[in-house]
Tab-separated table of all heavy atoms in Angstrom:
chain	number	residue	atom	x	y	z
A	249	GLU	N	84.220	69.904	137.405
A	249	GLU	CA	85.616	69.755	137.402
A	249	GLU	C	86.065	68.982	138.631
A	249	GLU	O	86.896	68.102	138.574
A	249	GLU	CB	86.320	71.093	137.332
A	249	GLU	CG	87.831	71.022	137.421
A	249	GLU	CD	88.508	70.431	136.178
A	249	GLU	OE1	88.018	70.542	135.085
A	249	GLU	OE2	89.580	69.826	136.389
A	250	ALA	N	85.473	69.294	139.800
A	250	ALA	CA	85.744	68.583	141.043
A	250	ALA	C	85.382	67.132	140.924
A	250	ALA	O	86.123	66.249	141.393
A	250	ALA	CB	85.045	69.267	142.226
A	251	ILE	N	84.254	66.863	140.312
A	251	ILE	CA	83.803	65.443	140.117
A	251	ILE	C	84.865	64.725	139.253
A	251	ILE	O	85.252	63.579	139.613
A	251	ILE	CB	82.447	65.396	139.484
A	251	ILE	CG1	81.352	65.899	140.467
A	251	ILE	CG2	82.087	63.990	138.979
A	251	ILE	CD1	80.030	66.243	139.859
A	252	HIS	N	85.255	65.337	138.185
A	252	HIS	CA	86.205	64.658	137.275
A	252	HIS	C	87.560	64.483	137.923
A	252	HIS	O	88.218	63.467	137.757
A	252	HIS	CB	86.340	65.505	135.973
A	252	HIS	CG	87.147	64.783	134.949
A	252	HIS	ND1	86.755	63.592	134.371
A	252	HIS	CD2	88.322	65.086	134.408
A	252	HIS	CE1	87.703	63.214	133.510
A	252	HIS	NE2	88.673	64.106	133.505
A	253	THR	N	88.015	65.463	138.691
A	253	THR	CA	89.299	65.334	139.430
A	253	THR	C	89.283	64.165	140.398
A	253	THR	O	90.222	63.383	140.462
A	253	THR	CB	89.646	66.646	140.152
A	253	THR	OG1	89.756	67.744	139.174
A	253	THR	CG2	90.928	66.560	140.919
A	254	ASP	N	88.090	64.059	141.071
A	254	ASP	CA	87.956	62.909	142.000
A	254	ASP	C	87.998	61.565	141.281
A	254	ASP	O	88.655	60.628	141.680
A	254	ASP	CB	86.634	63.057	142.750
A	254	ASP	CG	86.464	61.985	143.768
A	254	ASP	OD1	87.331	61.769	144.610
A	254	ASP	OD2	85.364	61.318	143.739
A	255	PHE	N	87.382	61.513	140.095
A	255	PHE	CA	87.410	60.285	139.238
A	255	PHE	C	88.859	59.963	138.867
A	255	PHE	O	89.317	58.823	138.982
A	255	PHE	CB	86.574	60.458	137.997
A	255	PHE	CG	86.880	59.473	136.909
A	255	PHE	CD1	86.398	58.161	137.017
A	255	PHE	CD2	87.639	59.814	135.831
A	255	PHE	CE1	86.747	57.214	136.044
A	255	PHE	CE2	87.944	58.905	134.837
A	255	PHE	CZ	87.466	57.587	134.953
A	256	LYS	N	89.563	60.994	138.369
A	256	LYS	CA	90.929	60.708	137.922
A	256	LYS	C	91.795	60.228	139.062
A	256	LYS	O	92.680	59.328	138.878
A	256	LYS	CB	91.545	61.996	137.298
A	256	LYS	CG	90.956	62.349	135.937
A	256	LYS	CD	91.723	63.398	135.144
A	256	LYS	CE	91.999	64.588	135.953
A	256	LYS	NZ	92.642	65.676	135.193
A	257	THR	N	91.626	60.801	140.237
A	257	THR	CA	92.403	60.350	141.416
A	257	THR	C	92.162	58.938	141.708
A	257	THR	O	93.066	58.124	141.922
A	257	THR	CB	92.085	61.261	142.624
A	257	THR	OG1	92.393	62.609	142.283
A	257	THR	CG2	92.859	60.819	143.827
A	258	LYS	N	90.883	58.519	141.721
A	258	LYS	CA	90.546	57.132	142.072
A	258	LYS	C	90.946	56.210	140.977
A	258	LYS	O	91.397	55.066	141.202
A	258	LYS	CB	89.004	56.992	142.299
A	258	LYS	CG	88.550	57.740	143.497
A	258	LYS	CD	86.976	57.702	143.627
A	258	LYS	CE	86.498	58.396	144.877
A	258	LYS	NZ	85.046	58.429	144.930
A	259	ALA	N	90.806	56.547	139.716
A	259	ALA	CA	91.056	55.722	138.585
A	259	ALA	C	92.575	55.554	138.373
A	259	ALA	O	92.995	54.489	137.790
A	259	ALA	CB	90.379	56.207	137.326
A	260	SER	N	93.382	56.478	138.718
A	260	SER	CA	94.853	56.418	138.396
A	260	SER	C	95.511	55.257	139.027
A	260	SER	O	96.340	54.612	138.435
A	260	SER	CB	95.515	57.724	138.746
A	260	SER	OG	95.540	57.911	140.158
A	261	SER	N	95.153	54.912	140.283
A	261	SER	CA	95.794	53.780	140.939
A	261	SER	C	95.341	52.475	140.241
A	261	SER	O	96.126	51.539	140.122
A	261	SER	CB	95.447	53.698	142.437
A	261	SER	OG	94.039	53.548	142.617
A	262	LEU	N	94.131	52.411	139.771
A	262	LEU	CA	93.645	51.207	139.076
A	262	LEU	C	94.355	51.119	137.682
A	262	LEU	O	94.737	50.009	137.257
A	262	LEU	CB	92.157	51.260	138.886
A	262	LEU	CG	91.346	51.196	140.184
A	262	LEU	CD1	89.882	51.585	139.920
A	262	LEU	CD2	91.456	49.772	140.782
A	263	ALA	N	94.541	52.223	137.042
A	263	ALA	CA	95.242	52.193	135.752
A	263	ALA	C	96.692	51.756	135.940
A	263	ALA	O	97.244	51.001	135.125
A	263	ALA	CB	95.202	53.585	135.086
A	264	LYS	N	97.305	52.204	137.008
A	264	LYS	CA	98.676	51.760	137.342
A	264	LYS	C	98.697	50.279	137.597
A	264	LYS	O	99.642	49.587	137.082
A	264	LYS	CB	99.212	52.533	138.525
A	264	LYS	CG	100.637	52.257	138.907
A	264	LYS	CD	101.050	53.021	140.121
A	264	LYS	CE	102.536	52.646	140.494
A	264	LYS	NZ	102.954	53.319	141.718
Side-chain angles (χ1 to χ4, degrees):
E249 177 68 31
I251 291 165
H252 187 65
T253 299
D254 184 53
F255 162 77
K256 289 192 309 185
T257 300
K258 291 175 181 175
S260 66
S261 64
L262 294 167
K264 183 179 177 184

